Amino acid sequence: MCTVTFLPLSNTDFILTSNRDEQKQRETLPPKTYIDDGVELFFPKDKLAGGTWIGTSSKKRLVCVLNGAFIKHKRNTPYKKSRGVIAKELLKTTHLLNSIEQLDLTKIEPFTMVIVDWNHQLSLYELIWDNHKKHFSKLENEAKIWSSSTLYTEEIKETRKQWFQNWLKNNEFSTENILKFHHSEIGEKEQSILMKRKNIETVSITSIQKINNTISMFYEDIVNTKTYQIKLPQNKR
């Protein structure tokens, strides 16, 4: 939930990749299909909270969550529901923009959500909740990196953006190439893309690619050294 990149492949296709930085002990279930309110969802599941940090749905949408908003916040528990449960709600909705406008985030921990929707055209959105206000915007379909404010200072975020810019100059856009970036250990281990600290580290990497009529998900469980590669037909996606 802590490092995310977006790569546009065309006016209709893309690759989005996420490194989840979490405690190793927090149990996660590998990606599978769930039917919720008649909508087909596909995501890895956080066993503790029952939500997800990244997933796709038959509503032709992808939602990815990062912890925190603009700055590091102090936790104020208990919270009403998990941010990962809200991600599932946005994956299910038919009318995305209306649902976000009506979304009540009172007593929800601050977050950043990256949303990709391809119902009419490829649209990239960012939803940030800072514990006081929703900040929702449509972004340009261009390469971008996000780093969680709960783990990285503004200075480190800028350094990571520079690493990404250097990668962009030297690489073609492909799942294979962006996975190498997400596995990179440039800089100090505490700040690198494949991050490792005393009590938290990159526990999994998920990369979702849309090309024409097919969605592909690559999921690597780093803790248990397992990988999953799944292709989902677009007519169900």
Side-chain angles (χ1 to χ4, degrees), residues 43-138:
F43 58 84
K45 187 174 185 178
D46 182 272
K47 191 171 182 180
L48 177 64
T52 188
W53 63 99
I54 186 169
T56 69
S57 77
S58 54
K59 295 294 184 179
K60 297 183 178 180
R61 189 173 301 129
L62 181 155
V63 176
C64 182
V65 186
L66 293 92
N67 290 330
F70 301 105
I71 59 174
K72 186 174 182 178
H73 62 275
K74 292 183 178 179
R75 302 196 74 220
N76 186 23
T77 56
Y79 290 108
K80 184 168 60 178
K81 67 174 75 170
S82 161
R83 296 160 290 190
V85 172
I86 294 171
K88 287 168 56 180
E89 292 174 358
L90 293 181
L91 282 170
K92 292 189 297 180
T93 185
T94 299
H95 304 290
L96 176 65
L97 302 188
N98 288 342
S99 294
I100 288 174
E101 184 177 352
Q102 297 169 13
L103 196 59
D104 180 9
L105 296 175
T106 306
K107 292 297 293 179
I108 301 297
E109 189 169 2
F111 64 78
T112 298
M113 282 189 188
V114 180
I115 303 168
V116 189
D117 188 281
W118 54 95
N119 275 282
H120 305 293
Q121 60 184 8
L122 184 63
S123 298
L124 175 66
Y125 299 102
E126 180 183 71
L127 172 63
I128 300 175
W129 167 245
D130 64 5
N131 205 37
H132 302 286
K133 181 181 177 181
K134 286 182 287 189
H135 304 264
F136 181 64
S137 55
K138 188 175 187 295

